[in-house]
Amino acid sequence: MTTAAAAHAVPRVRRTRRRVPWLDRIAYGTVVVLLALAVLGPLLTPHDPYSVDLAKALQAPSGEHLLGTDGLGRDVLSRALAGARASILGALMAVAGAALIGILVASIATIGGRWVDDIVMRFCDITLSLPVMVMALGVAVALGPSLRSAVIAMVVAWWPGFARIARAEMRTVITSPYVEAARVLGASRWRLMLRHVLPNSLDGVYVQATLEIGGATLIMAGLSFVGAGAQPPSAEWGAMVETGSRYLTSAWWISVVPGLLITITALAFALSGDSLRNRNHPDATLA
Amino acid sequence: MTHPTTGTPILEAQGLTRSFGSRRTTTRAVDDVSFSVAPGAILGIVGESGSGKSTTLRCVVGLERADAGRVLFDGVPLVGANRETQRRFRREVQMVFQDPYSSLNPRMTVEMIVGEGLDIHKMAESRQARRARVVEVLELVGLDATVLDRYPRSFSGGQRQRIAIARALAVGPRVLVCDEPVSALDVSVQAQVVNLLLEMQQQLGLAVVFVAHDLALVRHLCHDVMVMQRGVVVENGPCADVFDRPQHEYTKSLLAAIPIPDPDRDRARRAAAAAERRSA
């Protein structure tokens, strides 16, 4: 039969996957390692990150202390590993919290009508006009310096950016014919939002969130560095850089190790976000 | 084609008006448009791009707020109607959109898309009943149960429009409002979709409002026709009258633009038109 022959002649559709550039692969890999460190880091410490031994203070990297010791004789490697959790999870929580609030506010602005939209978005604009660091610093100090305050401060300073991105996307989606079709069917506002608008407008937010984790790590460390975040005895990268800064000329490793980790984390997340954004180009088919 | 004009109109528009723009530069997209559709009748709305056809439809189904005028459903004005009437309107008046590539939610399966109206109007008692009803309408439009779990992106334009029609039919409407339902499709599948719509109309006794700029299609499909130009109705009436004895200049020019698939007759028409111009 001709139909059978025709069926054979049709070439099998192969799902084409774009090649992932090597830099992106490294970034993804690093992110995975960092996330693993954030979860497992505190369990992998060769020494107790908090045990003070002044006799061993300021030792250079050696067999026993692979990355040396700090001014109080604490093992720098152990502290760096233990600090991964506070630094990375802190940044993750800040971004996740900000994204969540941003999405919520954007949803309210989208279904609330013109007035609500105007008021909410102007408020976002005002908040966005202040530098994130200044804003976060103010809030963190006002709340009393601690790691938790730093996270809360960052959420407060960061959500308007997410709200703006989410709202822009939602406004496009809500006028699309499939949303109108649901309106003609008599769908409630809730259903329109949850079933149609939200699932189709969050790609940009996900990408932005990944991009921002890098920056969040930096701000997080910055807050701790100036004393508005994690407080002295606790192991946190920003705070470690600060403690080590006094010995920068004599014992560089105390600051350089956490400093490098902060840089790597920020870079890895930023590059991953960039890569995700490129792959998420509208032309690409969503899986 | 029998002409069902008897009975009270199921859908009626009275003096619909809708303007766009700022205070200084307003454009009346729809200007005092009235029409009515009897149960089981097909009304075509024709006119060039920007003549207000689509906006009229959008005002009728409530996607656009009319500045003036009102819509009556089953003789009852919708504004100020009780909840029950409004809910019934939402169920019994359904719409098919122009572009089936954007009128289906890309993240919903066919079952979710077609079944959504059943959920909204609580028309299925169980998941099985819901699925059975979805399969039933899918078969009505020439698809089958194998497509239930697939997403819109894996369908062609014609198939997507079938899914969109199934979505509209699932809730058992009495009026189907179509906004150029085939103009975004390949010419090769346009006829299939038009015939499907006609078949559904006859089988289910639907009243249809059909917006198009393809006059030949409207002539083939509709009982009545309404010609719009710059937001105003310039002519309306039974299809045969309007097409055979057009009264308005605009209608005449629209009709003259219909290509004739016969070079001899086309030449004759052009010669006649030229002669008329010379004598005028």
Side-chain angles (χ1 to χ4, degrees), chain A residues 116-212:
Chain A
V116 179
D117 184 55
D118 273 352
I119 291 167
V120 169
M121 292 328 289
R122 289 305 80 74
F123 182 75
C124 284
D125 290 344
I126 294 168
T127 318
L128 280 169
S129 67
L130 293 166
V132 174
M133 187 69 191
V134 174
M135 178 99 179
L137 195 58
V139 177
V141 170
L143 287 173
S146 74
L147 188 64
R148 208 180 61 181
S149 308
V151 172
I152 294 172
M154 283 173 59
V155 171
V156 170
W158 225 307
W159 69 263
F162 286 105
R164 191 138 83 170
I165 292 168
R167 170 187 167 273
E169 197 58 43
M170 285 175 188
R171 286 191 76 89
T172 325
V173 173
I174 208 160
T175 57
S176 67
Y178 58 81
V179 174
E180 295 193 328
R183 281 171 62 196
V184 172
L185 275 168
S188 63
R189 283 180 174 190
W190 271 103
R191 173 179 279 273
L192 289 182
M193 249 0 248
L194 294 177
R195 298 290 292 273
H196 299 281
V197 178
L198 272 175
N200 286 296
S201 47
L202 295 184
D203 287 343
V205 176
Y206 295 149
V207 170
Q208 186 66 17
T210 321
L211 272 171
E212 300 274 26

Side-chain angles (χ1 to χ4, degrees), chain B residues 29-240:
Chain B
V30 178
D31 193 354
D32 195 20
V33 170
S34 304
F35 62 84
S36 66
V37 196
I42 309 180
L43 168 70
I45 304 180
V46 296
E48 62 196 350
S49 306
S51 58
K53 313 178 297 261
S54 290
T55 311
T56 305
L57 273 201
R58 294 170 61 83
C59 288
V60 169
V61 297
L63 285 174
E64 203 85 61
R65 194 190 298 270
D67 299 329
R70 56 183 194 167
V71 175
L72 285 80
F73 175 59
D74 248 354
V76 183
L78 276 181
V79 177
N82 59 24
R83 281 189 94 126
E84 181 48 37
T85 307
Q86 297 197 342
R87 193 168 301 149
R88 217 158 55 80
F89 178 80
R90 281 274 159 256
R91 197 176 69 227
E92 297 188 353
V93 180
Q94 286 305 320
M95 183 162 176
V96 175
F97 290 80
Q98 177 175 15
D99 180 9
Y101 289 90
S102 55
S103 69
L104 304 177
N105 186 334
R107 284 172 201 264
M108 283 166 73
T109 62
V110 172
E111 182 172 13
M112 289 159 79
I113 290 170
V114 177
E116 180 159 39
L118 302 174
D119 295 342
I120 292 170
H121 296 288
K122 301 186 179 66
M123 293 170 74
E125 269 118 51
S126 64
R127 295 190 68 147
Q128 288 91 328
R130 180 176 183 273
R131 171 165 287 201
R133 173 65 183 155
V134 170
V135 171
E136 188 188 340
V137 264
L138 284 176
E139 283 169 353
L140 208 55
V141 300
L143 298 166
D144 56 45
T146 58
V147 304
L148 283 177
D149 295 325
R150 287 165 59 189
Y151 288 87
R153 66 167 171 276
S154 65
F155 294 96
S156 68
Q159 287 172 316
R160 282 166 184 245
Q161 201 59 301
R162 283 173 193 271
I163 295 167
I165 294 169
R167 167 178 60 194
L169 296 180
V171 290
R174 292 201 287 155
V175 182
L176 199 60
V177 167
C178 306
D179 186 6
E180 307 213 17
V182 297
S183 62
L185 301 177
D186 283 350
V187 177
S188 56
V189 295
Q190 285 188 354
Q192 291 175 23
V193 173
V194 167
N195 287 336
L196 173 70
L197 280 170
L198 198 55
E199 205 178 294
M200 293 299 106
Q201 187 270 334
Q202 281 160 359
Q203 202 170 327
L204 305 170
L206 300 171
V208 174
V209 182
F210 191 94
V211 161
H213 54 236
D214 183 343
L215 277 87
L217 185 62
V218 168
R219 180 172 211 170
H220 167 69
L221 205 62
C222 303
H223 303 124
D224 294 295
V225 64
M226 180 167 102
V227 184
M228 287 184 72
Q229 182 190 23
R230 287 192 227 109
V232 181
V233 179
V234 296
E235 189 160 0
N236 65 358
C239 227

